[in-house]
Amino acid sequence: MTVYMAKSAGFCGGVARAVNTALKEAGDKKLVTIGMLVNNRILTDELAEKGVGIVSDVDEIQAGETAVIRSHGVPASVEEELKRRGIPYIDCTCVDVKKIRQRAARAKEQGRALIVLGDRKHPEVKGYAGPDAIVINNEADIDNAEFNPEVKYTLVAQTTFERGRFFNIAVILKNKIADLEIHNTICDATARRQAEAAELSARVDVMIVLGDALSANTRHLYEICRKSCPRTYMVPSIREMQLRNLRANDKIGITAGASTPPSITKEAIRFMNEIAQDTVQSPQTFEEMLNEAFVSLHTGDVVKSTVISVTPTEVTVNLGYKSDGIITKAEMTEDASADITQMVKPGDTLDVYVLHVNDGEGNVLVSKKRLDAQTHYKLIEQAFNDKTPISGKVTEVVKGGLIAVIHGCRVFVPSSQVSNRFVEDLNQFKGREFDFHILEFDRPKRRIVAGRKELAAIEQQQRREELFASLESGQRVEGTVSRIVDFGAFVDLGGVDGLIHISELSWQRVKKVSDILQAGDSVSVTVIDINPEKNKISLSLKDINSNPWNGIAERFPVGNIVEGKVVRMASFGAFVTLEDGVDGLVHISQIARRHIVKPDEELSVGQVISVKVTDVDEQNHKISLSKRDADEEMGIWGEPEEAADGEAAKEEDIAEEAVIEEIAADGDAEAAAEEAATEETVPEEAVAEEADDEAVIDEIINDEDTEDGSEEEV
Ligand code: F3S
């Protein structure tokens, strides 16, 4: 790329004088200009910052203010009014403009009518073209004008009128008007600028005309250049240039209107020269260089940035702009608990969204979160449409559910959608990451609803399969008590529950499960049975090494007489505790020598009695005892009564058989009940699950008496 600058570009002498005067006087006086000092809004803003105001006419000037007459001048009537009112003023009218006024005044003195080539609305033209003057701006205006052959005319031109058109029109008028005095009043600076622009635009690929469209001479320059260079662009500053219009091998010409400040011209030269040099030296593409070389920021822009520093509250980024960008923590992420120092580090590149170009302290406020949200909305919408899982982090527990952050977007998860099982305390999910399904997506309302009930069921099934594949009977496993029920405790083994039946809680008899375990307790349990078909895992809390039945035959040999305590009665006999965890049964037929119908005819709970060990079954944890034999051996009774023998004994044996059969039947019932109780349900509805449990509990309670007997007897 090659860059050519027109020699005459930017402030002309008249404008430079006016601007410098205003800036110099602004320190001492309160200045107001009548109209814009020059037709350039960038410069007008700079003057305003230095206290130079603008009024549209004399009436607006306040006491204490000094008026500045701009380089275009003002009509004579305005100047007279200033004098009449005693308003101090500084006349910055350009000498070339004053010369035209003098020409106009002289023509009037000579009785000549005035023709002005220019724009009737332009302040300069208003200054010397009275109501009788013919003002011609283009060739078409000539046809509409009426020229009196009896009248002599004087022709002048606006100082910035296009030179070529001036001569064309002058020739036409000369042929129409017998007495026409022609004065080329186009200022030298303008003529020179226009000539150079015409010459330059003819030999370049792109012509950039710097200046405000309010400026007549800038517009004329643009028109001149466009005639020979179709790729001519008029921009207030190089920042507004659409860089995509440039190509790496372009020859570029630059010119500027008379009201364009030097700072804008210099900036354009520096910038374009840097670009031109880089096209030679850098391996980057031209587009990359353009993007890097200059960043013009606007609210809503998306900009590439580089992280400069990170604190727990904000991230500072380089935007390639005169000011750095600030990303507050709230604009980094939706997750208030996030540590932003862990999210980015100096040197990282980020795309950011411009919120405010100036936050009042010269910084640019930018957001990563909003850009993320824009990008991520698409991902979430895609997941919604495709019904695919998308991961997110639970950040809050709110009324009715959870808030999760999915790709930077806040998403509501109703409590009914949190899991496939009833969850009492949602706080257990806070801070954890999960996959979710998007259930509802309303982008205009920014409403996103997600759930993981189905996914939780699938995950649970997978865990169950893995767990069943890995478990073996006798294996020791760790778990957490998830629920307590009357007949035992459910233990979460990692997403799948096993059951410790109440009889497996301790070697001793347990009256209430809650005496041993509470929900949430961590336990180490032994797997005693696995049934994948029925999804059942039976567990035991008993320590196999402290089994009181180990060596029972040695401690209680058959034939020995031992002491024990009556602990409970049943219709078929009395249970006697021999030591902790070891109860034996004295069958009703072995309580007394005489025939009794109920054990409490001879015994009471708590009574300590002597009994003879008649049978020991270590494997099945059973000891049979006889009080009758012990009494007999200890001589508590006399000779056995004959009556007790024979028919009575026979009746007792028959009765005992019946009881055993009855107990055996009850044992089946118990097994069925327990099966129902331990069969793990996948509790789709927690309420339904609890109802099932209640039914099982009722069943167990109703069978309790029989169960006691069956456990010991069968
Ligand atoms: Fe004067 Fe020519 Fe500038 S007339 S104000 S020097 S364009």
Side-chain angles (χ1 to χ4, degrees):
M1 178 185 286
T2 320
V3 182
Y4 303 91
M5 188 75 201
K7 272 191 203 154
S8 308
F11 274 3
C12 62
V15 168
R17 262 194 308 280
V19 172
N20 291 340
T21 303
L23 290 173
K24 190 173 151 212
E25 298 289 335
D28 304 327
K29 300 184 176 80
K30 194 161 177 10
L31 299 183
V32 289
T33 62
I34 304 172
M36 289 167 76
L37 188 63
V38 290
N39 285 329
N40 188 287
R41 282 166 282 206
I42 294 172
L43 181 64
T44 302
D45 289 345
E46 283 178 24
L47 288 168
E49 281 177 20
K50 292 186 164 55
V52 181
I54 301 177
V55 293
S56 54
D57 66 40
V58 177
D59 290 342
E60 294 175 17
I61 300 172
Q62 306 290 315
E65 290 178 337
T66 298
V68 178
I69 296 177
R70 55 194 169 183
S71 55
H72 298 309
V74 290
S77 58
V78 173
E79 202 170 338
E80 283 162 12
E81 187 62 19
L82 287 171
K83 285 179 185 162
R84 194 183 67 75
R85 296 191 189 191
I87 297 173
Y89 66 95
I90 303 168
D91 186 1
C92 292
T93 308
C94 173
V95 290
D96 287 328
V97 175
K98 283 184 176 170
K99 277 186 202 163
I100 300 174
R101 283 194 193 166
Q102 287 163 5
R103 293 260 177 226
R106 195 181 307 155
K108 193 174 181 183
E109 285 166 16
Q110 295 171 349
R112 305 180 76 88
L114 187 68
I115 301 173
V116 179
L117 300 192
D119 180 358
R120 183 180 277 285
K121 293 178 186 160
H122 195 279
E124 178 195 315
V125 176
K126 282 184 188 170
Y128 44 75
D132 298 334
I134 296 172
V135 180
I136 292 172
N137 201 21
N138 50 50
E139 284 80 350
D141 289 342
I142 300 170
D143 297 335
N144 297 328
E146 286 183 12
F147 302 103
N148 188 338
E150 307 298 323
V151 176
K152 298 174 182 171
Y153 289 91
T154 293
L155 175 70
V156 295
Q158 189 178 335
T159 52
T160 52
F161 201 77
E162 194 189 328
R163 190 182 171 89
R165 283 171 55 219
F166 171 82
F167 286 112
N168 288 344
I169 293 171
V171 169
I172 295 169
L173 291 176
K174 187 72 182 163
N175 291 331
K176 280 184 175 272
I177 300 168
D179 190 341
L180 178 64
E181 194 178 277
I182 299 173
H183 298 278
N184 178 4
T185 53
I186 297 172
C187 105
D188 283 349
T190 301
R192 210 166 36 248
R193 182 181 289 106
Q194 290 175 352
E196 287 173 7
E199 184 274 328
L200 183 56
S201 60
R203 59 185 171 90
V204 295
D205 303 301
V206 175
M207 195 70 199
I208 300 172
V209 180
L210 298 168
D212 198 313
L214 290 175
S215 162
N217 77 74
T218 302
R219 290 197 306 271
H220 289 156
L221 278 180
Y222 171 73
E223 284 157 13
I224 289 165
C225 294
R226 254 185 86 86
K227 283 178 189 160
S228 46
C229 180
R231 290 169 65 199
T232 296
Y233 303 96
M234 179 170 63
V235 289
S237 77
I238 198 70
R239 295 173 187 218
E240 273 64 47
M241 181 68 197
Q242 295 288 319
L243 299 175
R244 63 173 174 272
N245 292 325
L246 306 181
R247 294 171 201 141
N249 56 355
D250 273 343
K251 283 191 274 184
I252 296 173
I254 302 175
T255 187
S259 52
T260 304
S263 58
I264 288 177
T265 315
K266 283 179 189 163
E267 179 187 65
I269 296 166
R270 178 189 58 76
F271 172 67
M272 291 310 302
N273 276 333
E274 281 175 9
I275 294 291
Q277 278 192 346
D278 286 347
T279 54
V280 177
Q281 296 168 3
S282 171
Q284 290 173 297
T285 67
F286 181 61
E287 192 63 31
E288 284 170 343
M289 284 188 299
L290 291 176
N291 289 338
E292 284 183 11
F294 202 89
V295 178
S296 174
L297 286 188
H298 302 95
T299 298
D301 282 355
V302 175
V303 184
K304 268 203 188 321
S305 71
T306 306
V307 176
I308 299 170
S309 63
V310 187
T311 71
T313 56
E314 65 182 31
V315 176
T316 306
V317 293
N318 178 4
L319 303 164
Y321 185 62
K322 60 185 177 183
S323 305
D324 290 333
I326 303 292
I327 315 172
T328 60
K329 181 179 176 182
E331 291 299 337
M332 273 296 286
T333 173
E334 283 283 6
D335 184 359
S337 66
D339 178 1
I340 60 172
T341 62
Q342 300 300 310
M343 294 173 71
V344 289
K345 60 181 185 310
D348 285 354
T349 54
L350 294 178
D351 284 344
V352 291
Y353 177 90
V354 178
L355 297 172
H356 299 292
V357 176
N358 187 340
D359 66 354
E361 294 177 3
N363 294 313
V364 183
L365 287 187
V366 294
S367 173
K368 175 178 181 293
K369 180 182 79 176
R370 295 188 196 199
L371 194 58
D372 287 347
Q374 282 180 11
T375 309
H376 294 149
Y377 263 126
K378 288 181 191 160
L379 295 174
I380 296 172
E381 188 172 21
Q382 182 92 32
F384 172 68
N385 292 334
D386 297 349
K387 297 183 172 44
T388 50
I390 189 164
S391 69
K393 182 182 175 186
V394 176
T395 56
E396 289 173 57
V397 176
V398 294
K399 192 179 175 189
L402 303 171
I403 296 294
V405 174
I406 298 178
H407 285 300
C409 302
R410 280 167 66 86
V411 169
F412 178 61
V413 184
S415 48
S416 62
Q417 290 291 335
V418 169
S419 174
N420 63 326
R421 53 204 302 178
F422 176 69
V423 180
E424 230 174 76
D425 183 8
L426 292 176
N427 280 299
Q428 63 183 280
F429 293 96
K430 194 172 169 185
R432 294 169 62 191
E433 292 198 11
F434 298 99
D435 279 349
F436 295 94
H437 274 135
I438 304 300
L439 307 175
E440 195 181 325
F441 183 86
D442 187 336
R443 188 161 185 168
K445 291 183 186 168
R446 297 187 170 190
R447 178 183 158 87
I448 309 172
V449 178
R452 56 180 302 275
K453 189 172 171 180
E454 276 181 33
L455 291 169
I458 294 167
E459 286 167 12
Q460 189 187 34
Q461 183 57 34
Q462 285 171 345
R463 282 197 299 271
R464 177 180 289 119
E465 286 168 10
E466 287 167 13
L467 194 66
F468 275 109
S470 67
L471 285 181
E472 290 176 2
S473 287
Q475 189 179 345
R476 202 75 181 161
V477 290
E478 310 295 320
T480 306
V481 176
S482 58
R483 281 185 300 148
I484 298 289
V485 290
D486 282 3
F487 55 87
F490 285 98
V491 176
D492 182 355
L493 300 175
V496 180
D497 282 355
L499 174 70
I500 312 174
H501 189 266
I502 189 168
S503 61
E504 290 297 332
L505 287 172
S506 169
W507 293 111
Q508 282 74 44
R509 183 175 172 79
V510 175
K511 283 188 175 172
K512 276 171 66 187
V513 179
S514 57
D515 290 343
I516 306 292
L517 291 176
Q518 303 293 329
D521 284 354
S522 296
V523 288
S524 179
V525 290
T526 304
V527 178
I528 54 176
D529 190 37
I530 309 160
N531 188 336
E533 286 74 34
K534 294 186 175 176
N535 277 330
K536 275 175 51 182
I537 302 171
S538 300
L539 306 170
S540 175
L541 193 62
K542 293 173 178 173
D543 181 359
I544 203 147
N545 297 319
S546 60
N547 183 352
W549 291 91
N550 290 347
I552 199 77
E554 283 79 44
R555 297 204 305 282
F556 297 98
V558 172
N560 271 19
I561 295 176
V562 295
E563 276 198 343
K565 189 178 182 180
V566 178
V567 287
R568 60 186 185 280
M569 306 287 197
S571 59
F572 49 84
F575 290 98
V576 174
T577 299
L578 301 180
E579 62 177 38
D580 266 359
V582 178
D583 289 356
L585 174 67
V586 184
H587 189 265
I588 193 166
S589 63
Q590 296 299 315
I591 291 176
R593 203 167 168 217
R594 69 183 181 92
H595 175 71
I596 58 173
V597 178
K598 293 198 300 189
D600 60 6
E601 289 176 32
E602 286 287 329
L603 298 173
S604 57
V605 172
Q607 185 182 352
V608 176
I609 59 172
S610 293
V611 288
K612 184 177 181 179
V613 179
T614 57
D615 189 35
V616 177
D617 183 349
E618 185 173 328
Q619 195 177 0
N620 294 307
H621 299 173
K622 289 192 298 189
I623 295 182
S624 299
L625 305 169
S626 172
K627 180 174 182 296
R628 190 178 73 173
D629 289 358
D631 287 350
E632 194 171 322
E633 278 194 27
M634 290 189 297
I636 294 173
W637 295 339
E639 285 301 308
E641 290 176 13
E642 286 300 317
D645 296 335
E647 287 304 307
K650 213 171 170 183
E651 279 175 20
E652 282 172 0
D653 287 345
I654 292 166
E656 188 172 344
E657 288 301 321
V659 168
I660 290 170
E661 280 174 20
E662 182 188 342
I663 292 168
D666 286 345
D668 290 343
E670 180 217 12
E674 190 174 318
E675 184 170 314
T678 56
E679 191 163 328
E680 194 186 354
T681 54
V682 179
E684 284 292 322
E685 298 296 332
V687 175
E689 181 191 9
E690 292 297 332
D692 287 344
D693 288 346
E694 289 296 333
V696 174
I697 291 163
D698 285 341
E699 192 177 348
I700 299 287
I701 290 170
N702 292 337
D703 286 350
E704 190 173 39
D705 289 343
T706 316
E707 182 188 334
D708 285 344
S710 64
E711 277 180 350
E712 303 297 342
E713 192 65 19
V714 176

